[in-house]
Every structure is written in structure tokens, then in C-alpha cells.
């Protein structure tokens, strides 16, 4: 059987084995997908061993996405733009590095949540790896504007400068949280890691237009603090990042196997499982 895995540290919590096993069953693909713990100083060695044992591909998660980028021989355009890799495919001609996080987010927004990006005003909170990974696919949706806001303003400004060439008619800008006062957005995406510590980015009130969606990349049981605060501030609807997780996995699966799985039943099952605690 073809072998795949998700590699990270820690990794025991990962839902990727469950997602890919469900995709394989659904599409009739013969493969085994496991969770692979790599020592913090042993990413490349662990990858090499997995590949030597016949591994065909890996998903890469925290903290190895930059090392995975360095390890790949070739990159897709979206991985090149992100400067980070979450998917490795091993072939006779070397290692291909891809980044499916942004495509996963955009697919969740557009296909699952019915949130079109074209002509919209988007606020992206955070300027870390997740933001870097989603900027190109978000800009490809041709929003009217895309504003990156971050605690450390310089990091947001650096990203806006780096992606300026891809803005293609969208107004791409960067600022701190204070500078958002008085501005309103159709879509606000929380790509900070604040929710992981049950914290909130310090946002001014009145951020949401009528009908606006607030999206937290973090997911879990019930609403995150960001989702609760967004509803209180007037967001019409909220969503967490579980759909992004399943959609980035579907994108990786399609790259490896050439078959696109139906993500809807897998997402629904994961949601039921999360809600049941
Ligand atoms: P990074 O560590 O690279 O970046 C963290 C970002 O969060 C920085 O911009 C940092 O600001 C900001 N931040 C951290 N704490 C706070 C706070 N208390 N208030 C305001 N800003 C804060 O993390 P990633 O970009 O890799 O991940 C971000 C989030 O996205 C995580 O929650 C992760 O779980 C989620 N994610 C979800 C995915 C999914 O499939 N659903 C996929 C990938 C990521 P500063 O620069 O000032 O330090």
C-alpha cells in the first residue's frame, strides 16, 4: 500500500490521519496514512527515513513548514509565494513542495460558506505563517481591498510589500489594530494565534458591514472567543477553521492521487465528533 503521513511536533492531536483515511475509503484509493512525530532537530532525517521506507508524500505541520520549504527540490507557485510548504510529494525527479492552506481557506469560504471574494473588503488579522500562506489565493479572488493588520505593524507592512505585485487591482495595505477604528469589512479572517491562548486581538468596535462573515482559522468545540466577539460586534455570521483544515487536506490528496475527494461528508463527521466533545 502507498504510504503517506502528517509530520509535526507535537502530532498526536492531528486529525489528518482520520481525514485522509476517510478520503481514501471514499475514493477507493489504496493507501495508508499515519501521524509521524519528528524530533525538533530531526525533521530532514525523519523525512529521509520515511521516503526510504517507500513513503510517497507528507503533510507538514507546526513547526516544520519552513524546513519543508528548504527541503523541497521544486515548489508550486503558491508554495513559492508563501515561502512555506505543508505538502511534500516524492517522485523519481525529486521532492515537490506545495502549500494547500490558502486554497483550502478559499474553497471553504467560497464553496462551503457561499462567501464570494470578488469586490469585497477583506481584513486579515495576523502576519505569521498562516497569513503568508493565504495571501496569494485570497488576492486571486480579486477583492476590492485586502488589509493586513498585525500587532507588530512592521511584519504586516513587509508582507503587503512582498505581495504588492500580486494585488492585481485589489487595494493591498497594512496597519496596526488601532488604525482599524472607523473602518468596516465584509470579511474578517483571524489568522493570529491569539485564539490558541484564548485571547483576542485588540480590535476596535464596529468592524463589520451588514451581512459580514467573521472567520477564525482556529477551530474547536463551539465558538472561539473571536467568533463570540465578532457576533457581539455585529458580524452576521461566523465560521471556524475546521473547513479550511479539511479542504487543505482535500487539495493535498488531489495533488498526490489525482482524484478530488468529496469533502462535505468528512467535514460533517468531524464537526459532529468535535461537538460531541
Ligand atoms: P504564527 O506563530 O506564524 O503567527 C502568529 C500571529 O499571531 C502573529 O501575527 C502574531 O503577532 C499574532 N498574535 C499572537 N498572539 C496574539 C495576540 N494575543 N493578539 C494579537 N495577535 C497575536 O502562527 P500561524 O500563522 O502559523 O498560525 C496562526 C493561526 O492559524 C493558529 O491559530 C493556527 O492554528 C491557525 N491555522 C489554522 C489552519 C487550518 O487549517 N484551520 C492552518 C494554518 C494555521 P506578532 O507578529 O505581533 O507576534
Amino acid at each position: 500500500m502507498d504510504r503517506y503521513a502528517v509530520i509535526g511536533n507535537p502530532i498526536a492531536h492531528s486529525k489528518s490521519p482520520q481525514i485522509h483515511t476517510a478520503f481514501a475509503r471514499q475514493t477507493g484509493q489504496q493507501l495508508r496514512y499515519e501521524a509521524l512525530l519528528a524530533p525538533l532537530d530531526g525533521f530532514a532525517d525523519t523525512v529521509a527515513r520515511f521516503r526510504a521506507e517507500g513513503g510517497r508524500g507528507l503533510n507538514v505541520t507546526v513547526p516544520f513548514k519552513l524546513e519543508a520549504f528548504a527541503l523541497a527540490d521544486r515548489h508550486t507557485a503558491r508554495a513559492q509565494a508563501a515561502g512555506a510548504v505543508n505538502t511534500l510529494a516524492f517522485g523519481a525527479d525529486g521532492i515537490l513542495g506545495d502549500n494547500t492552506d490558502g486554497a483550502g481557506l478559499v474553497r471553504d469560504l467560497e464553496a462551503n460558506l457561499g462567501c464570494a471574494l470578488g469586490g469585497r473588503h477583506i481584513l486579515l488579522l495576523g502576519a505569521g505563517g498562516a497569513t503568508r500562506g493565504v495571501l496569494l489565493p485570497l488576492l486571486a479572488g480579486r477583492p476590492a481591498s485586502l488589509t493586513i493588520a498585525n500587532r507588530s505593524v512592521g511584519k504586516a507592512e513587509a508582507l503587503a510589500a512582498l505581495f504588492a505585485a500580486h494585488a492585481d487591482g485589489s487595494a493591498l495595505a497594512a496597519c496596526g489594530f488601532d488604525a482599524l477604528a472607523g473602518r468596516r469589512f465584509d470579511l474578517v479572517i483571524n489568522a493570529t494565534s491569539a485564539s490558541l491562548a484564548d485571547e483576542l486581538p485588540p480590535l476596535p468596535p464596529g468592524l463589520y458591514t451588514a451581512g459580514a462573515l467573521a472567520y477564525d482559522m482556529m477551530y474547536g468545540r463551539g465558538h472561539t472567543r473571536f467568533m463570540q466577539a465578532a457576533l457581539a460586534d455585529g458580524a452576521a455570521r461566523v465560521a471556524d477553521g475546521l473547513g479550511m483544515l479539511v479542504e487543505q487536506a482535500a487539495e493535498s490528496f488531489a495533488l498526490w492521487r489525482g482524484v478530488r475527494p468529496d469533502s462535505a461528508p468528512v467535514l460533517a463527521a468531524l464537526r459532529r465528533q468535535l461537538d460531541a466533545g
Side-chain angles (χ1 to χ4, degrees):
M1 259 201 208
D2 289 343
R3 283 181 68 198
Y4 297 86
V6 58
I7 183 169
N9 186 332
I11 202 61
H13 65 285
S14 175
K15 298 187 188 314
S16 292
Q18 183 184 343
I19 295 171
H20 283 276
T21 302
F23 287 164
R25 199 177 309 126
Q26 184 198 88
T27 56
Q29 295 280 308
Q30 298 292 314
L31 62 87
R32 197 167 98 222
Y33 190 108
E34 61 212 273
L36 198 57
L37 178 70
L40 291 175
D41 60 354
F43 173 72
D45 288 347
T46 310
V47 173
R49 208 172 312 122
F50 181 74
R51 196 177 173 201
E53 290 165 4
R56 299 283 303 273
L58 286 167
N59 281 130
V60 182
T61 186
V62 178
F64 298 126
K65 290 184 184 182
L66 297 182
E67 279 186 75
F69 182 87
L71 193 71
D73 302 308
R74 293 176 296 123
H75 302 91
T76 60
R78 58 196 184 184
Q80 195 70 51
V85 153
N86 79 336
T87 307
L88 294 170
F90 306 133
D93 53 346
I95 304 178
L96 174 68
D98 194 5
N99 190 317
T100 64
D101 281 336
L105 170 68
V106 168
R107 198 170 172 94
D108 193 35
L109 288 168
E110 292 188 330
N112 299 341
L113 297 165
C115 176
L117 303 179
R120 299 298 175 89
H121 294 281
I122 301 177
L123 172 60
L124 187 51
L125 305 169
T131 291
R132 232 187 133 98
V134 302
L135 272 170
L136 193 66
L138 282 176
L139 287 169
R142 317 223 24 189
S145 70
L146 178 50
T147 303
I148 310 166
N150 196 45
R151 189 171 57 182
S152 317
V153 185
K155 280 169 71 177
E157 286 171 344
L159 281 184
L162 195 63
F163 283 82
H166 300 283
D168 195 22
S170 302
L172 178 62
C175 63
F177 296 128
D178 290 352
L180 296 170
R183 297 191 56 194
R184 280 148 63 87
F185 299 89
D186 305 308
L187 170 62
V188 179
I189 301 168
N190 182 20
T192 74
S193 50
S195 291
L196 292 175
D198 202 23
E199 290 172 357
L200 274 179
L203 300 173
L207 272 187
Y208 297 92
T209 59
L213 169 66
Y215 189 101
D216 198 345
M217 282 197 192
M218 156 128 164
Y219 54 84
R221 190 175 177 196
H223 287 173
T224 63
R225 269 192 73 188
F226 172 77
M227 291 158 74
Q228 291 168 22
L231 285 171
D233 191 37
R237 53 196 189 117
V238 292
D240 72 7
L242 192 67
M244 174 177 174
L245 177 78
V246 174
E247 296 298 349
Q248 61 79 25
E251 197 78 14
S252 297
F253 192 92
L255 175 85
W256 290 327
R257 310 299 298 183
V259 190
R260 177 166 278 283
D262 179 7
S263 53
V266 180
L267 177 55
L270 267 183
R271 177 68 68 199
R272 277 196 301 276
Q273 192 178 312
L274 263 188
D275 288 348

